[in-house]
C-alpha cells in the first residue's frame, strides 16, 4: 500500500484495487468512532457526456441527485433502519462534481462498511418507485426555492452563466425531474458508478491492510468494461448574462450577493495555490478582524451574516460576497471601493502573514474532524489537488500572489449583483 504523510503527522494508506476502486484508510488509534465515505466522481454538472462507440449522450439535469435518493431504497426494509440497528447513521450528498455516501458508527464498523459497499452497488429502480420519488424531489426543490440563501445564490448563477450547468440547481428543475426515466437512471448508474470512477475513504481505529482486504472481499462484482465516459461542458462565453437582477421573497430584510465569474484554468498544485491565495485575499475583506469589515460594520451596511468565498474546481470557478443589509446599493458602492483599493496595491504584507498564521491554525484544528479530513482526501483524489501539501503551499504563498489573484480574478466586467428584497419593499 502507498503511504502518504498528511499534515499533523498522520499517514494515509492508499491502494487501488484490481477493479479500479481507490481505497484510502486513515488509522486513528484509540478513537471509538469510525467514519466512512464512498464517493462517485459524478455530480450535477455531468448531464452531457460522450460514450466510446455511441456518441454524445444528454440526460435531464438532476439525475445524479435523483440516483442518490434511489440508492437508499431496497426491495425490503430500509438502509437507514439497518444502520440504526447497529447504532450508526448513514447519509449522502450530491455536489456539482461528486456524489458521496457516508456512515458513522461506534460499533459494528466492519458490518457498516461492508453494507455501505453493498447498497451503493445494488440500485432498486422500478417505474413505481421512480414516479413516487419524483414527487418527493419536486417538494424538496420547491422548499429550496423558498429558502433565501438558496434563492439568491441560484439567481446569481443565472446572472453569471449563459450555458454552464452550474446555473441550474443541483437537484435539477421540476420539469427536468418529471422527465427522468428509469432507463436514464439505470444508464447513468451503469456508466458512472464504476469502481474506477469511485473512491472510498475510511477514518478510525482500523488496520489499513485488514480494512483493504475487507473491501476487496466485500465489493460486489460489477459487469462492464470500466469507466470510459468523457464529460462534455458547454462552450461558456466570457461575458455574463446581466450585471444586476432583483427578486422578491417573504423575508424581513434585503439580501445582497456579488459574484465574479472565473475561468477554471488551474490544475493540481496550481489549483491549491490559487485556492489559498484567493481565500487569503477574501479574508482581507470579510474577516472579522479586517479593516474592511470594521468599516462596513460601523457604517451599518453588513452584520454577522457577511461572508465571501472562492469556489474553484477543475470545471468551474467563481467568487461571491454576501450579506443581509438594509442598504444593498450603499453596500455595493462601499464594497466596490474596498475591492478596488485592494486590487490597486492595497494588500499589506503584514496582514497576509497574520492571516497565514490563522489559516495554519485553522487547518490543524480541522484535522480533528473525521468528516472534514475524509472529504478533503476524497477531493484531493478526484481533483488532483495535493491536500497533503497544504501547509507547505500555504507557507509558499506570498503577498504578491494574493495581490495578483485579487487583481486578476475580481474583474468587474465579469461580475453581477443579485438582490433579494422583502415582498413589496418598493411597492
Amino acid at each position: 500500500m502507498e503511504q502518504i504523510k498528511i499534515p499533523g503527522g498522520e499517514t494515509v494508506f492508499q491502494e487501488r484495487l484490481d477493479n479500479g476502486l481507490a481505497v484510502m484508510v486513515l488509522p486513528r488509534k484509540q478513537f471509538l468512532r469510525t467514519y466512512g465515505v464512498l464517493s462517485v466522481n459524478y455530480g450535477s454538472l455531468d448531464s452531457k457526456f460522450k460514450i466510446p462507440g455511441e456518441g454524445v449522450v444528454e440526460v435531464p439535469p438532476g439525475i445524479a441527485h435523483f440516483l442518490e435518493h434511489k440508492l437508499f431504497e431496497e426491495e425490503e426494509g430500509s438502509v437507514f433502519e439497518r444502520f440504526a440497528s447497529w447504532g450508526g447513521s448513514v447519509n449522502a450528498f450530491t455536489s456539482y462534481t461528486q456524489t458521496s455516501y457516508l456512515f458513522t458508527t461506534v460499533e459494528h464498523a466492519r458490518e457498516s462498511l461492508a453494507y455501505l459497499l453493498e447498497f451503493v452497488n445494488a440500485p432498486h429502480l422500478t417505474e413505481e418507485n421512480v414516479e413516487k420519488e419524483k414527487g418527493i424531489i419536486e417538494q424538496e426543490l420547491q422548499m429550496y426555492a423558498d429558502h433565501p440563501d438558496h434563492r439568491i445564490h441560484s439567481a446569481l448563477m443565472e446572472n453569471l452563466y449563459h450555458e454552464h450547468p452550474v446555473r441550474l440547481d443541483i437537484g435539477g428543475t421540476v420539469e427536468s425531474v418529471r422527465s427522468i426515466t428509469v432507463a436514464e437512471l439505470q444508464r447513468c448508474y451503469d456508466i458512472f458508478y464504476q469502481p474506477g470512477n469511485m473512491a472510498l475513504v475510511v477514518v478510525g481505529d482500523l488496520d489499513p491492510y485488514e480494512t483493504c482486504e475487507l473491501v476487496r472481499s466485500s465489493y460486489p462484482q460489477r459487469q462492464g468494461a470500466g469507466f470510459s465516459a468523457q464529460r462534455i461542458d458547454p462552450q461558456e462565453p466570457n461575458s455574463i448574462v446581466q450585471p444586476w437582477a432583483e427578486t422578491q421573497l417573504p423575508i424581513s430584510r434585503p439580501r445582497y450577493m456579488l459574484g465574479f465569474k472565473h475561468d477554471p484554468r488551474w490544475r493540481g498544485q496550481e489549483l491549491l495555490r490559487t485556492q489559498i491565495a484567493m481565500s487569503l485575499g477574501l479574508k482581507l475583506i470579510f474577516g472579522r478582524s479586517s479593516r474592511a469589515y470594521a468599516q462596513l460594520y460601523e457604517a451599518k451596511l453588513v452584520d454577522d451574516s457577511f461572508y465571501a468565498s472562492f469556489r474553484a474546481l477543475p470545471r468551474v470557478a467563481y467568487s461571491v460576497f454576501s450579506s443581509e443589509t438594509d442598504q444593498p446599493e450603499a453596500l455595493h458602492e462601499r464594497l466596490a471601493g474596498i475591492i478596488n483599493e485592494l486590487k490597486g496595491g492595497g494588500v499589506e504584507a503584514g496582514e497576509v502573514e497574520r492571516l497565514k498564521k490563522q489559516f495554519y491554525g485553522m487547518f490543524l484544528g480541522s484535522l480533528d474532524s473525521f468528516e472534514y479530513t475524509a472529504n478533503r482526501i476524497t477531493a484531493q483524489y478526484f481533483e488532483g489537488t495535493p491536500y497533503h501539501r497544504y501547509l507547505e503551499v500555504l507557507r509558499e504563498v506570498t503577498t504578491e500572489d494574493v495581490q495578483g489573484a485579487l487583481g486578476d480574478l475580481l474583474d468587474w466586467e465579469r461580475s453581477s449583483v443579485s438582490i433579494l428584497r422583502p415582498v413589496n419593499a418598493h411597492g
Side-chain angles (χ1 to χ4, degrees):
M1 298 182 79
E2 182 183 2
Q3 299 184 24
I4 303 170
K5 287 285 186 182
I6 64 171
E10 295 179 307
T11 300
V12 174
F13 292 77
Q14 178 173 316
E15 182 166 338
R16 191 175 183 90
L17 303 187
D18 291 341
N19 64 4
L21 179 71
V23 180
M24 289 157 277
V25 182
L26 176 58
R28 288 203 162 159
K29 298 299 181 184
Q30 298 183 327
F31 277 82
L32 294 177
R33 194 160 67 95
T34 299
Y35 176 80
V37 55
L38 179 60
S39 300
V40 191
N41 190 11
Y42 172 55
S44 68
L45 301 187
D46 300 312
S47 55
K48 190 174 183 179
F49 44 91
K50 187 175 182 180
I51 304 298
E54 296 186 38
V56 175
V57 177
E58 191 162 5
V59 295
I63 279 191
H65 175 255
F66 204 120
L67 273 173
E68 175 218 308
H69 274 236
K70 292 313 300 169
L71 289 188
F72 283 94
E73 186 166 341
E74 298 185 302
E75 290 190 51
E76 296 182 9
S78 160
V79 171
F80 295 99
E81 290 173 1
R82 181 88 68 94
F83 278 93
S85 71
W86 291 328
S89 63
V90 63
N91 211 330
F93 65 86
T94 304
S95 69
Y96 292 142
T97 58
Q98 74 181 61
T99 310
S100 295
Y101 302 85
L102 52 100
F103 75 87
T104 183
T105 188
V106 173
E107 300 178 329
H108 302 286
R110 291 176 59 86
E111 294 91 340
S112 297
L113 177 55
Y115 187 49
L116 174 72
L117 304 177
E118 178 186 332
F119 86 79
V120 172
N121 283 281
H124 178 55
L125 301 170
T126 67
E127 295 288 348
E128 182 181 0
N129 69 30
V130 166
E131 284 303 311
K132 179 182 177 182
E133 198 68 38
K134 288 179 180 180
I136 295 171
I137 293 178
E138 282 179 31
Q139 289 181 337
E140 184 179 319
L141 292 175
Q142 290 164 356
M143 177 186 71
Y144 281 126
D146 292 332
H147 193 283
D149 291 338
H150 187 271
R151 182 72 168 271
I152 195 171
H153 187 271
S154 296
L156 181 67
M157 293 298 104
E158 291 173 4
N159 289 354
L160 291 174
Y161 291 93
H162 296 261
E163 304 290 341
H164 199 285
V166 73
R167 70 191 306 274
L168 300 177
D169 192 286
I170 286 173
T173 66
V174 170
E175 293 74 21
S176 73
V177 167
R178 287 176 178 170
S179 73
I180 290 172
T181 66
V182 173
E184 287 170 327
L185 287 165
Q186 186 67 56
R187 189 172 197 200
C188 287
Y189 179 87
D190 291 340
I191 290 168
F192 288 100
Y193 278 68
Q194 293 288 339
N197 193 46
M198 300 169 74
L200 171 69
V201 180
V202 189
V203 183
D205 189 356
L206 302 164
D207 179 276
Y209 297 93
E210 291 179 0
T211 302
C212 202
E213 186 54 41
L214 171 66
V215 174
R216 185 181 288 107
S217 61
S218 302
Y219 206 89
Q221 293 294 316
R222 292 288 305 276
Q223 299 298 316
F227 181 73
S228 59
Q230 177 188 344
R231 306 161 206 271
I232 300 175
D233 287 328
Q235 291 295 317
E236 174 64 34
N238 283 329
S239 64
I240 60 164
V241 176
Q242 56 185 344
W244 192 286
E246 301 189 13
T247 188
Q248 293 185 333
L249 206 65
I251 53 177
S252 58
R253 297 179 67 203
R255 292 174 185 247
Y256 162 92
M257 185 171 279
L258 165 66
F260 292 88
K261 176 180 176 179
H262 314 312
D263 294 324
R265 59 182 186 269
W266 313 280
R267 295 292 184 274
Q269 186 163 307
E270 184 187 10
L271 174 57
L272 178 60
R273 190 182 187 93
T274 304
Q275 288 171 339
I276 292 173
M278 269 301 284
S279 297
L280 287 166
L282 297 186
K283 197 77 169 179
L284 293 171
I285 300 172
F286 82 95
R288 296 303 182 256
S289 59
S290 69
R291 287 194 297 273
Y293 178 78
Q295 292 173 18
L296 295 171
Y297 189 84
E298 288 168 8
K300 297 183 178 179
L301 295 175
V302 300
D303 57 19
D304 287 343
S305 66
F306 183 47
Y307 75 92
S309 67
F310 174 64
R311 184 77 182 270
L313 300 167
R315 295 167 62 195
V316 67
Y318 57 84
S319 296
V320 298
F321 299 82
S322 183
S323 183
E324 292 187 16
T325 179
D326 294 321
Q327 305 175 69
E329 292 84 359
L331 170 56
H332 181 68
E333 182 178 354
R334 184 71 70 90
L335 180 58
I338 290 170
I339 291 172
N340 286 336
E341 182 182 345
L342 286 171
K343 287 177 61 177
V347 176
E348 297 178 3
E351 284 296 290
V352 171
E353 289 305 312
R354 180 182 64 81
L355 287 176
K356 285 172 67 174
K357 292 176 182 177
Q358 184 183 111
F359 276 37
Y360 194 99
M362 288 168 55
F363 183 83
L364 290 178
S366 72
L367 296 176
D368 290 338
S369 167
F370 283 32
E371 292 80 358
Y372 179 86
T373 304
N375 291 335
R376 289 316 308 155
I377 292 171
T378 303
Q380 169 192 333
Y381 181 76
F382 286 152
E383 298 169 13
T385 50
Y387 163 77
H388 59 283
R389 292 199 66 235
Y390 179 92
L391 295 181
E392 185 180 341
V393 176
L394 173 63
R395 285 192 291 268
E396 294 171 356
V397 170
T398 66
T399 302
E400 290 72 26
D401 290 331
V402 176
Q403 183 73 69
L406 292 176
D408 178 32
L409 298 178
L410 300 187
D411 180 356
W412 292 109
E413 293 297 316
R414 307 184 72 195
S415 72
S416 182
V417 171
S418 178
I419 305 291
L420 201 57
R421 295 190 187 274
V423 174
N424 298 323
H426 288 279

